[in-house]
Amino acid sequence: MPWFVWLLAAAALGAAEFYTLTLVLGLLAGAALVAAVVAGLGVGLLGQLVALAVAAVAGVVIVRPVALRHMTQQPLTREGSDALIGKRAEVMQEVTATHGLIKLSGEEWSARAFDESLVIPVGALVDVMEIEGATAVVYPRELLP
């Protein structure tokens, strides 16, 4: 089988992968490329089919599970208000269980205390524990007097 037929098969499988996003057809396209290289080296049809089979099995058994595992992992970077969790802020107006104001990443945010029994004074440094809507839930970095 001529090498260009394998290239056409690889292109067709690659195009099909583009529309299905299953990873299987893309790996088979890669296997067809391996078969095209083997055909280009002058190996017979049986050798080309063996190369195709070995590359396809290796791709589906080894590469696909690794790729799927990486696709299901959460990204390491947090975006939006989630990126503010764990940041340090300064209390601008006393923070209680129901209200307060902090300076967080250069912006003023409404805040409330994580521990409802705490009253955090102006100037104290706090950590942002979570974000609830437009309110930061904070906890003091140091023990309060």
Side-chain angles (χ1 to χ4, degrees):
M1 206 163 143
W3 61 270
F4 61 85
V5 174
W6 287 114
L7 281 181
L8 289 174
L13 287 166
E17 173 64 34
F18 181 76
Y19 290 107
T20 63
L21 301 176
T22 60
L23 294 177
V24 174
L25 296 176
L27 293 170
L28 291 176
L33 285 175
V34 170
V37 169
V38 170
L41 293 173
V43 178
L45 180 60
L46 182 59
Q48 295 170 31
L49 293 175
V50 168
L52 175 74
V54 169
V57 168
V60 171
V61 171
I62 297 170
V63 176
R64 187 169 189 266
V66 172
L68 288 175
R69 189 170 39 250
H70 284 285
M71 287 173 45
T72 58
Q73 288 179 345
Q74 293 292 327
L76 296 177
T77 58
R78 294 183 293 187
E79 299 174 343
S81 61
D82 286 341
L84 299 173
I85 296 173
K87 296 273 186 180
R88 180 174 28 183
E90 181 181 354
V91 176
M92 306 299 288
Q93 183 182 59
E94 184 177 77
V95 176
T96 65
T98 58
H99 68 279
L101 191 67
I102 61 171
K103 187 159 197 122
L104 174 62
S105 295
E107 299 177 349
E108 291 185 353
W109 278 71
S110 61
R112 70 173 182 81
F114 183 72
D115 183 351
E116 295 178 359
S117 65
L118 290 178
V119 175
I120 307 170
V122 173
L125 294 179
V126 293
D127 288 322
V128 176
M129 305 303 284
E130 57 187 81
I131 301 288
E132 291 179 353
T135 302
V137 180
V138 299
Y139 194 80
R141 291 185 68 89
E142 298 173 6
L143 293 175
L144 296 175

